[in-house]
Amino acid sequence: MLTKFESKSARVKGLAFHPVRPWICASLHNGVIQLRADEAMTQRRRFIDEQDISWKLTMGGSCTCYRGGNAAYWGRWDYRVGTVIDRFEEHDGPVRGVDFHLHEPLIVTGGDDYKIKVWDYKLRRCLFTLLGHLDYIRTVQFHPNATQFPWILSASDDQTLRLWDFQKRSCLSVLTGHNHYVMCASFHPSEDLIVSASLDQTVRVWDTAGLRKKQLGGPGLDEGYPGMMDVNGNRGGTSAAAATALNVQAELFGTNDVVVKYVLEGHDRGVNWAAFHPTLPLLASAADDRQVKLWRMSETKAWEVDTLRGHANNVSCCLFHPKQELVVSNSEDRSIRVWDVSKRVGVQTFRREGDRFWILAAHRSQNLLAAGHDSGMIVFKLERERPASAHGPGDKLYYVRGRELFCHDYSRATGGSSGVDVPIASLRRVGQQAQTDGIGSGPRFLSYNMHNPTEGNILVCSEVDGGCYELITFSLTNAGGSVTDGKRGSCLGPGVFLGRNRFAVLDRHKREIVVKNLNNETTKRVSAPVPNVDCLYDGGASGRIILRADDRAVLFEVQSRRVIGELTAPKIKNVVWSPDGSKVALLCKYGVVIANRQLEQLCSISDTVRIKSGAWDVSPTGGTNSNLFVYTTLHHVKYCLPTGDTGTIRTLDNPIYATRVVKDSLFCLDREARSRVISIDTTEARFKLALANKKYGQVMHMVKHSRLCGRAIVAYLQSKGFPEVALHFVRDPQTRFRLALACGNIEAAMESAFSLEQQQGADGKSRDVWGELGSEALRQGNHQVVEMSYQRKKDFDRLSFLYMLTGDNEKLRKMLKISNMRNDIMGRYHNALLLGDAAERVAVLEASGNLPLAYISANLHGLDEVAERIKVAIETQEGSVEGLMEKVPVGTKKGGRLLQPPTPIVRASNWPTLEIKKTTLEDLSAADAGDEYEEEAPPAAATDTGASAGAAAWDDDFGMEDAGAGIGGDDDFDLGDDDMGWGDDLDGLGDIGGDDIAPDQVDDMAAFNEISGDVGFQMPPAGRPPAGCWVANSSHAADHMAAGGASSAMQLLHRQIAASDFSNLKGSMLGCYLGSTVSLPGVPGSGSMIVPLMRNDATGHPGNDSLPRTSSTMRSLVTGVRMGYKYFQTGKFNEARNAFTEVLSQIPLTVTDNRSQANEMKEMLEICREYITAIRLKEAMSAAGADPVRSTELSAYFTHCNLQPVHLLLALRSAMGTAFKHKNFIVAASFARRLLELPDMRSERNADLRMKATKVLQRSEQMARNEHTLNYKENAAFSIDCKDFVPVYTGEECVKCSYCGSVYKGSSMKGQVCVTDGFCTVGVETIGLVTGK
């Protein structure tokens, strides 16, 4: 038995698989609920109290629904994220019967409240209730053909069966005849029959043909089932009065529409279960006489065929396996037994100590069974469904189907088939159950001898009787006619061929490597080099094997007995060697490890679901042979490259097992061991592989002709340092602009900037684009593009400074005129200063009213007439010029002198740069036929015989051939004859006032022609500053703040914990910024040096992976919590609250090193919240001292804060005293009991308190009354409203703080700042606290 998962709960009494979706419903005897996923079943478990429904995730995303208990709930979970969507409370008492509708989203349930309820799990509510049974309802079932017959069958302890029409919501027939409880009832899958089992020791088969004919002939069939449920109950067909009359008649006299066909008597005690065979006229019944009986039916009679004995207690349930000729039964003897129907003997027995089994269910189409027992349920398979297979020489695959060994020849594929199957040999049954098709006795592993070219040798290994093997030898020329009788032996796991005439197996007792020849004679025994070896795999070369030991893989050479290589690979399931033997893929349970022939790891990937199989690409062309590994999971086909790159190729409807990959075809085996071929698209994988191998011609050819697009590819190219590749097929202007800047392509960036300007207009966003372009052009020394960018951005100051640097005085004088027309005083003065025009500067000072400065400037520069005129103006305004010139030192080094613009070194063209030859990736035209790549033809339509043809990995098509408006092969483009030019025309900078300056007529393209060809060259990459590395390497707010990015840090805090008021975080944020660097004084005359402090430089400088050291550490947080404890213990509540609040403000800006520290930090967060709430409650108790009711309530809530035991003792003592003083003796007694139960009360120092508590308890028990009515339930679980200090019981509406978890009743606090922490918004759903980088 292969257990898929196991739940822990109360007794499971009913089970039902969903026919299509991966769900199963289970009804429990009480109300304990579980939620788990089978992929992470052993790692985590979540228990949900006060809830009687859960959905159980199974089969890599399947879902299980549990219902039952004293108050039955229905709930639906989204298994993708593991969260509950809704739940409903309807049934009173346990729910014993459940069933899914075959086609509609309906569920029927029956419980101990005598009610049958029909639910719509899409509408998320109960549609209606069927009443009529007078006792517990045992089972309920929809008709197998419920579309034509909307019937529900129910069995009850009132000794009747009932047939219901769930469309008309009426009882069709009451089946009477049993004289004891009817334990179960079910429809025949295809015939008009019903079987029922009762404690009256009989099994009855009922004929429903009469009812069927009546229903088909009635007028209500066509009108009564429109396909959707009418929740209001208004339907055509039989009227309500007629239906009522029929119900009364059925209750009193029964009906003759359903008659008893057979009464099967043979059991000595009550019968618990009966079930039909899916196809044969057989019945199986299980009873309290510890027997399972098989019955055969004919048209006229039914008789007992055989009795299956073996159970030691009451047999609870039995059923026929849907795919095999087996009967499965379970019993109160704590066992599940499997019986062979044809041989009528037991095949296997599975025991479970301590738990009795009660119910079984089988999936309609999959090989899945479920069993309910005393402590939960299990979903299991009887045996593994993976077919045993092995690659042979050339294009051959050997595999086992049933008991036959086949050779599948891929080279003989015709039409849509994947090849031809050639039978090799029939395999004998082995083990103790050789006379039957024992479950689990099939072959598990195949190994083919690739070292023997003259004949075929195959080792067939199984797990029967602890492990065994069979050696089959056959001729390669006539495989089906010359098979040598197999030689057998015992082993552990698979066997491995070491050479032409040798193979090795693992001794299952001594764990030694046993080497044998083809005559099955032992030639050598070799001890394993490491302990705990449990499996052997092929080593990829003669004489080598791979040993699996614990979580390690060891490459071992048997002849020399030396270990060649070793690596870590947890839970290895299989080993797949590449065709050339250069690489090996180790398939683990949740990952793939790729290594070279020496078992040195090349890459390792992990997945969230189980890995099923894998195969290397064997395409003869394209460069993917032995470099592309394709593997399958439960629902996906994925790829992995030796570089570590991974991706998803397509989805699957059913699991498959990959055997071979050729171009865009995946050859595989399904679970029925049928060979199939599925179409896949490996373009993305081949693109990444060509990029990694630097086959740039092939890369650019694929860019031009393949369907490559999407943000993921663009991000991948940028991360790998190839933005110029993405630039060739991205057409979005914004993305092209970013990529062009990343690769330094100024021309492409200008084209995108013009496109963005046309889209966005001349607003602030387009100006930012021109600013970024100007910065990149300035970095490359292309001052002509810088000039145009500043003109587009209208950045006059930078434009003037640029003209000064380039020595263009004519344009600088024009900038002076523009600033004069714009009335920009400072602009005029700066331009005059850069030009060295003293008269203009004096005029600017005079015009701005700075007459003293204008007088001084005129005197210094020898402008006597202007100085005299200014002097008169000053004296006219009752001023004086005496002493002004004395303030200006003349003739000394500090004296002023005339500033003249510098002479530029390079005046005519752009500044010189380091010329670097264009790469092939940068120039698409260079990717000619001389480069090595394969011409990609449209992939042939591969045959997909089962799974749906999944979509290609990349669905968008940007259409490179249609991008006529993009950059051509020569990267030349036309901006037109409008004012897009950026020559000498400075008059087009906007409305600068005045019309006296006529625009110059210039050639708009002249400036472009002046740009030299160096825009295609690359500057050597500049280093990244530490702050830039910190921001790029981390998503933690502390690292962003340490880099000086206060804005990004606040954005992160807002997104992660909904922080909105940062005043309380100001100190911690400044501490992060100031504590990440140190200032070192420099030499005299120079500034100090700022040295970054890094936390990951212990073994050397981390380079671009550096991370800052933060001021707040776990040690400081622990110190703050301890100080809070100390203040709280001594009654200094204000100081304690400040200490805990300080810790709350430091936690978001503290970086942890590992998971244990992260858990400790989250625990401290909860501690701070609880203690701050407790302190606020204490303050409220002091304020409400005059109100006996409120003070008692607050003291009661105070005891429910999660405090340390020594502090809880103080809280309980205070609450006990308050309640006793106000004569609330019931709650005083509860506080006294809780106080006496504390461990600290046993110490001598608390002897007096123990005596007082005992007296209070005695006195309170004597009085046994509360003087006041309190809003407090001591036995109910509740949270405390952190604003109003009232209890918030489970199920009541509330909102929470996403950071500290404080609870607020109702929704009034939604959108407000949390009272506890003081900086986070309440009611916002976020990702929560981020603790690491």
Side-chain angles (χ1 to χ4, degrees):
M1 180 171 66
L2 179 63
T3 302
K4 300 301 293 183
F5 65 85
E6 179 178 350
S7 72
K8 296 295 182 181
S9 67
R11 183 184 305 168
V12 176
K13 300 292 288 184
L15 291 167
F17 279 99
H18 192 283
V20 178
R21 297 187 180 183
W23 299 344
I24 180 173
C25 290
S27 57
L28 275 67
H29 191 61
N30 64 11
V32 179
I33 307 306
Q34 294 178 340
L35 171 67
R36 86 179 57 228
D38 75 317
E39 292 294 342
M41 175 188 63
T42 58
Q43 290 109 14
R44 65 173 182 238
R45 185 177 298 164
R46 285 189 245 173
F47 294 93
I48 302 174
D49 298 326
E50 300 182 6
Q51 210 176 301
D52 290 67
I53 298 297
S54 76
W55 291 81
K56 182 170 197 172
L57 310 185
T58 63
M59 299 170 288
S62 57
C63 192
T64 307
C65 175
Y66 281 53
R67 303 183 287 287
N70 295 328
Y73 294 83
W74 284 91
R76 188 152 60 101
W77 291 79
D78 187 336
Y79 61 81
R80 294 166 297 182
V81 295
T83 58
V84 67
I85 298 175
D86 50 36
R87 64 169 186 158
F88 303 96
E89 181 179 353
E90 292 284 347
H91 277 290
D92 296 327
V95 183
R96 297 181 183 271
V98 292
D99 191 29
F100 278 106
H101 194 282
L102 190 60
H103 303 293
E104 293 194 16
L106 300 179
I107 299 175
V108 61
T109 61
D112 286 2
D113 55 0
Y114 314 161
K115 297 177 182 178
I116 298 174
K117 292 182 178 293
V118 177
W119 309 76
D120 190 317
Y121 55 78
K122 284 189 177 179
L123 296 179
R124 304 177 180 178
R125 60 172 172 170
C126 175
L127 298 179
F128 53 86
T129 302
L130 301 175
L131 300 177
H133 279 295
L134 306 177
D135 208 337
Y136 295 169
I137 297 172
R138 292 286 180 175
T139 62
V140 289
Q141 184 188 8
F142 283 108
H143 194 281
N145 187 13
T147 303
Q148 187 177 9
F149 300 104
W151 297 351
I152 293 176
L153 174 65
S154 60
S156 171
D157 285 357
D158 63 4
Q159 306 179 14
T160 66
L161 291 78
R162 288 179 181 256
L163 278 170
W164 310 81
D165 188 323
F166 64 82
Q167 291 181 359
K168 302 174 183 177
R169 305 176 189 178
S170 62
C171 181
L172 297 176
S173 181
V174 180
L175 281 62
T176 60
H178 287 291
N179 55 25
H180 210 303
Y181 298 162
V182 183
M183 301 300 291
C184 83
S186 63
F187 289 104
H188 193 280
S190 58
E191 299 182 13
D192 296 328
L193 297 176
I194 292 175
V195 65
S196 62
S198 171
L199 294 186
D200 62 3
Q201 304 179 15
T202 66
V203 176
R204 290 176 180 255
V205 179
W206 310 76
D207 189 347
T208 61
L211 184 61
R212 175 180 60 82
K213 294 176 182 178
K214 180 179 179 180
Q215 291 293 309
L216 290 176
L221 179 67
D222 296 335
E223 303 174 7
Y225 194 72
M228 293 297 296
M229 294 300 300
D230 182 0
V231 297
N232 297 321
N234 300 322
R235 296 191 177 275
T238 306
S239 65
T244 304
L246 288 175
N247 288 341
V248 173
Q249 178 184 359
E251 291 285 350
L252 294 178
F253 307 107
T255 62
N256 57 2
D257 299 331
V258 181
V259 298
V260 177
K261 191 172 185 179
Y262 316 116
V263 178
L264 307 180
E265 298 178 341
H267 285 287
D268 298 331
R269 300 187 65 181
V271 185
N272 294 316
W273 204 266
F276 285 112
H277 192 281
T279 56
L280 300 177
L282 293 177
L283 272 172
S285 60
D288 288 345
D289 58 4
R290 308 177 183 180
Q291 297 176 359
V292 177
K293 289 184 178 292
L294 295 178
W295 313 79
R296 181 174 290 275
M297 301 180 297
S298 67
E299 290 296 328
T300 58
K301 64 178 180 178
W303 64 95
E304 180 180 340
V305 175
D306 206 343
T307 300
L308 306 177
R309 296 179 175 87
H311 283 292
N313 207 331
N314 301 338
V315 185
S316 305
C317 186
C318 66
L319 52 81
F320 289 96
H321 195 280
K323 291 189 175 183
Q324 303 179 36
E325 293 302 315
L326 301 172
V327 172
V328 185
S329 63
N330 62 8
S331 167
E332 296 180 36
D333 64 1
R334 303 174 177 83
S335 70
I336 299 176
R337 291 179 178 264
V338 183
W339 315 84
D340 190 310
V341 175
S342 58
K343 300 295 191 300
R344 299 166 193 171
V345 295
V347 177
Q348 277 188 333
T349 301
F350 311 116
R351 297 190 180 276
R352 182 181 182 87
E353 298 299 329
D355 292 320
R356 298 169 294 176
F357 286 98
W358 299 100
I359 189 67
L360 279 171
H363 198 282
R364 293 174 182 264
S365 58
Q366 300 182 22
N367 184 23
L368 282 177
L369 297 171
H373 51 77
D374 282 336
S375 60
M377 66 168 292
I378 55 175
V379 175
F380 61 95
K381 296 180 180 179
L382 293 180
E383 61 181 348
R384 297 184 185 274
E385 298 179 279
R386 182 193 306 271
S389 62
H391 288 283
D395 298 332
K396 294 182 180 180
L397 174 73
Y398 294 90
Y399 67 94
V400 176
R401 184 196 306 151
R403 290 291 172 185
E404 294 290 330
L405 175 63
F406 289 91
C407 173
H408 187 79
D409 193 346
Y410 292 114
S411 62
R412 298 167 63 183
T414 58
S417 66
S418 62
V420 177
D421 287 334
V422 178
I424 301 296
S426 297
L427 304 179
R428 295 185 179 181
R429 299 187 181 99
V430 295
Q432 299 176 355
Q433 299 170 352
Q435 73 276 12
T436 65
D437 290 326
I439 300 300
S441 62
R444 178 77 189 282
F445 308 102
L446 282 189
S447 297
Y448 182 85
N449 188 1
M450 301 292 288
H451 310 288
N452 191 352
T454 59
E455 63 179 2
N457 309 119
I458 289 182
L459 279 173
V460 182
C461 303
S462 66
E463 296 179 340
V464 177
D465 297 337
C468 62
Y469 68 87
E470 179 180 2
L471 176 62
I472 297 177
T473 303
F474 55 91
S475 172
L476 293 177
T477 57
N478 187 14
S482 57
V483 179
T484 304
D485 188 21
K487 302 176 177 61
R488 299 175 179 84
S490 62
C491 67
L492 180 63
V496 177
F497 285 98
L498 298 178
R500 186 179 63 84
N501 55 1
R502 293 180 302 152
F503 67 92
V505 294
L506 186 64
D507 188 284
R508 66 189 185 193
H509 301 294
K510 299 181 180 180
R511 302 296 175 92
E512 292 179 339
I513 303 170
V514 181
V515 180
K516 298 188 176 185
N517 57 25
L518 296 186
N519 295 323
N520 206 23
E521 299 170 346
T522 301
T523 60
K524 184 186 298 185
R525 286 182 174 267
V526 180
S527 299
V530 292
N532 302 325
V533 175
D534 58 0
C535 196
L536 303 181
Y537 295 107
D538 184 17
S542 177
R544 292 185 178 183
I545 57 175
I546 292 179
L547 309 176
R548 184 181 71 184
D550 297 327
D551 287 341
R552 294 180 297 166
V554 180
L555 182 59
F556 182 66
E557 192 170 66
V558 178
Q559 185 66 28
S560 61
R561 303 190 182 188
R562 65 188 181 97
V563 174
I564 300 175
E566 180 179 344
L567 56 78
T568 301
K571 299 180 181 179
I572 301 175
K573 299 298 181 183
N574 198 7
V575 169
V576 182
W577 284 91
S578 62
D580 60 0
S582 61
K583 302 178 185 66
V584 60
L586 307 179
L587 300 184
C588 305
K589 188 174 184 179
Y590 294 103
V592 178
V593 179
I594 295 182
N596 59 15
R597 67 172 72 243
Q598 303 299 324
L599 211 62
E600 297 171 348
Q601 181 172 316
L602 300 178
C603 72
S604 175
I605 64 167
S606 60
D607 212 319
T608 56
V609 295
R610 297 181 183 181
I611 308 297
K612 290 295 183 181
S613 64
W616 289 93
D617 188 287
V618 295
S619 302
T621 58
T624 57
N625 191 306
S626 301
N627 287 314
L628 171 60
F629 184 74
V630 177
Y631 66 95
T632 65
T633 62
L634 196 65
H635 296 296
H636 291 93
V637 178
K638 302 183 178 182
Y639 69 87
C640 175
L641 302 179
T643 58
D645 294 320
T646 63
T648 301
I649 297 177
R650 60 166 290 168
T651 58
L652 298 171
D653 289 339
N654 297 302
I656 59 173
Y657 302 93
T659 58
R660 175 186 174 93
V661 179
V662 180
K663 293 186 178 180
D664 286 339
S665 297
L666 173 63
F667 298 86
C668 58
L669 295 174
D670 58 17
R671 284 181 164 174
E672 285 73 33
R674 302 289 179 180
S675 182
R676 295 163 49 190
V677 56
I678 294 176
S679 62
I680 58 175
D681 187 355
T682 58
T683 304
E684 178 189 340
R686 288 185 279 111
F687 174 78
K688 292 181 178 180
L689 186 62
L691 195 63
N693 294 335
K694 298 182 179 180
K695 296 181 179 180
Y696 297 138
Q698 184 177 354
V699 168
M700 299 315 300
H701 182 269
M702 295 177 69
V703 167
K704 187 175 181 181
H705 297 92
S706 301
R707 294 169 53 87
L708 281 171
C709 56
R711 294 183 179 179
I713 282 290
V714 174
Y716 174 80
L717 291 171
Q718 286 186 284
S719 65
K720 295 297 183 179
F722 298 104
E724 61 272 20
V725 180
L727 188 61
H728 284 293
F729 62 87
V730 173
R731 287 293 169 261
D732 177 59
Q734 186 70 35
T735 307
R736 282 186 59 82
F737 180 76
R738 301 296 177 191
L739 293 172
L741 291 185
C743 61
N745 193 332
I746 297 298
E747 290 187 4
M750 278 197 300
E751 180 196 14
S752 301
F754 282 121
S755 300
L756 289 173
E757 186 178 48
Q758 292 176 0
Q759 293 178 4
Q760 301 173 356
D763 55 1
K765 294 184 178 179
S766 62
R767 292 185 180 182
D768 294 340
V769 170
W770 288 114
E772 295 180 23
L773 177 60
S775 299
E776 176 62 24
L778 187 63
R779 188 181 70 86
Q780 295 189 16
N782 194 332
H783 65 80
Q784 296 177 356
V785 177
V786 175
E787 179 185 358
M788 184 201 67
S789 301
Y790 289 166
Q791 289 179 10
R792 293 284 179 180
K793 191 179 179 184
K794 299 182 181 180
D795 194 340
F796 301 105
D797 294 336
R798 284 189 171 88
L799 200 55
S800 298
F801 193 71
L802 176 67
Y803 290 149
M804 188 270 293
L805 291 178
T806 56
D808 197 338
N809 293 339
E810 181 181 353
K811 292 181 180 179
L812 195 56
R813 290 191 180 277
K814 186 170 288 190
M815 292 300 300
L816 177 60
K817 294 179 182 180
I818 292 174
S819 60
N820 188 20
M821 298 171 63
R822 294 176 59 245
N823 295 323
D824 184 3
I825 298 298
M826 289 304 299
R828 286 179 60 191
Y829 189 83
H830 287 158
N831 286 312
L833 187 64
L834 297 176
L835 283 169
D837 191 342
E840 182 65 24
R841 294 210 304 271
V842 172
V844 172
L845 292 173
E846 185 179 4
S848 62
N850 294 293
L851 297 180
L853 290 177
Y855 177 77
I856 294 174
S857 181
N859 266 328
L860 285 177
H861 295 92
L863 302 175
D864 298 332
E865 295 181 359
V866 178
E868 188 65 27
R869 179 171 53 80
I870 296 174
K871 178 181 178 182
V872 173
I874 293 176
E875 291 175 350
T876 303
Q877 298 178 3
E878 298 181 358
S880 176
V881 296
E882 295 182 2
L884 289 178
M885 300 304 299
E886 296 176 358
K887 299 178 181 180
V888 181
V890 180
T892 63
K893 291 184 179 180
K894 295 182 180 181
R897 64 187 63 187
L898 180 62
L899 292 178
Q900 294 292 337
T903 302
I905 300 176
V906 179
R907 184 186 298 270
S909 60
N910 290 324
W911 297 327
T913 56
L914 180 63
E915 295 186 359
I916 301 176
K917 184 180 179 181
K918 285 186 177 183
T919 63
T920 305
L921 292 178
E922 212 170 348
D923 189 0
L924 181 60
S925 61
D928 54 10
D931 295 308
E932 179 186 355
Y933 65 91
E934 177 193 6
E935 190 71 24
E936 293 293 330
T943 302
D944 190 347
T945 59
S948 63
W954 308 99
D955 297 325
D956 298 334
D957 186 4
F958 279 88
M960 293 299 297
E961 62 275 8
D962 297 331
I967 300 178
D970 54 355
D971 287 340
D972 195 8
F973 52 90
D974 184 12
L975 297 180
D977 297 330
D978 56 2
D979 58 355
M980 292 289 186
W982 45 271
D984 295 340
D985 187 4
L986 299 177
D987 300 323
L989 296 177
D991 186 8
I992 55 179
D995 298 330
D996 53 340
I997 300 180
D1000 298 333
Q1001 298 296 326
V1002 297
D1003 184 4
D1004 291 326
M1005 296 302 298
F1008 283 100
N1009 296 330
E1010 293 175 2
I1011 301 178
S1012 61
D1014 59 356
V1015 293
F1017 302 145
Q1018 288 185 332
M1019 292 289 290
R1024 297 176 62 187
C1029 297
W1030 298 346
V1031 172
N1033 294 337
S1034 175
S1035 60
H1036 200 286
D1039 296 333
H1040 284 246
M1041 191 62 212
S1047 176
S1048 61
M1050 289 189 287
Q1051 289 178 1
L1052 287 174
L1053 291 174
H1054 177 68
R1055 296 186 186 123
Q1056 294 167 0
I1057 61 174
S1060 57
D1061 186 355
F1062 293 93
S1063 58
N1064 292 339
L1065 297 174
K1066 181 178 179 181
S1068 300
M1069 295 177 74
L1070 289 177
C1072 283
Y1073 175 66
L1074 298 176
S1076 62
T1077 57
V1078 62
S1079 179
L1080 298 179
V1083 298
S1086 64
S1088 300
M1089 293 184 295
I1090 304 300
V1091 179
L1093 300 177
M1094 291 172 284
R1095 64 174 182 266
N1096 58 343
D1097 58 350
T1099 59
H1101 196 283
N1104 290 336
D1105 297 328
S1106 65
L1107 290 170
R1109 184 174 300 174
T1110 55
S1111 58
S1112 179
T1113 61
M1114 289 294 297
R1115 181 177 298 178
S1116 62
L1117 296 181
V1118 172
T1119 302
V1121 172
R1122 289 178 178 174
M1123 291 300 298
Y1125 285 159
K1126 180 179 179 181
Y1127 290 137
F1128 192 90
Q1129 179 73 24
T1130 56
K1132 299 178 180 179
F1133 296 113
N1134 289 332
E1135 291 82 351
R1137 181 174 180 177
N1138 293 335
F1140 289 120
T1141 304
E1142 180 66 19
V1143 174
L1144 274 184
S1145 65
Q1146 291 180 358
I1147 285 178
L1149 296 166
T1150 303
V1151 183
T1152 59
D1153 296 331
N1154 48 53
R1155 186 176 295 275
S1156 62
Q1157 287 188 359
N1159 295 333
E1160 185 179 355
M1161 180 187 292
K1162 293 179 180 179
E1163 184 179 353
M1164 284 191 285
L1165 177 61
E1166 296 180 0
I1167 291 172
C1168 294
R1169 179 196 66 212
E1170 294 294 327
Y1171 272 87
I1172 291 175
T1173 304
I1175 294 170
R1176 294 180 59 238
L1177 278 169
K1178 189 68 177 176
E1179 295 173 354
M1181 290 165 57
S1182 302
D1187 186 353
V1189 176
R1190 185 58 177 164
S1191 61
T1192 305
E1193 290 176 349
L1194 292 174
S1195 63
Y1197 305 153
F1198 188 42
T1199 64
H1200 285 267
C1201 294
N1202 189 10
L1203 307 178
Q1204 295 293 320
V1206 62
H1207 301 152
L1208 183 60
L1209 184 145
L1210 301 176
L1212 287 170
R1213 182 178 67 179
S1214 174
M1216 180 183 68
T1218 302
F1220 189 80
K1221 180 177 70 173
H1222 296 307
K1223 299 181 181 181
N1224 295 311
F1225 298 108
I1226 296 177
V1227 294
S1230 68
F1231 295 146
R1233 292 190 193 97
R1234 291 172 59 190
L1235 186 61
L1236 291 173
E1237 291 173 357
L1238 292 178
D1240 291 346
M1241 292 295 292
R1242 300 188 183 95
S1243 62
E1244 290 298 328
R1245 67 175 182 272
N1246 293 323
D1248 294 339
L1249 179 59
R1250 184 169 62 249
M1251 185 180 300
K1252 291 179 182 178
T1254 304
K1255 291 180 180 179
V1256 169
L1257 179 60
Q1258 293 174 354
R1259 178 62 176 168
S1260 299
E1261 289 176 344
Q1262 292 174 1
M1263 303 304 296
R1265 289 292 186 274
N1266 276 342
E1267 183 71 17
H1268 308 95
T1269 301
L1270 304 176
N1271 184 15
Y1272 173 64
K1273 299 177 183 178
E1274 60 174 318
N1275 295 324
F1278 64 87
S1279 303
I1280 302 173
D1281 187 325
C1282 293
K1283 179 185 178 184
D1284 299 328
F1285 299 129
V1286 294
V1288 182
Y1289 296 102
T1290 304
E1292 293 184 347
E1293 181 184 4
C1294 64
V1295 292
K1296 292 184 178 182
C1297 174
S1298 59
Y1299 170 54
C1300 66
S1302 297
V1303 179
Y1304 300 92
K1305 191 172 184 178
S1307 58
S1308 60
M1309 279 295 291
K1310 188 172 183 179
Q1312 305 295 321
V1313 176
C1314 178
V1315 179
T1316 303
D1317 54 54
F1319 53 84
C1320 290
T1321 304
V1322 177
V1324 179
E1325 183 179 358
T1326 66
I1327 195 174
L1329 180 66
V1330 176
T1331 58
K1333 76 183 181 68

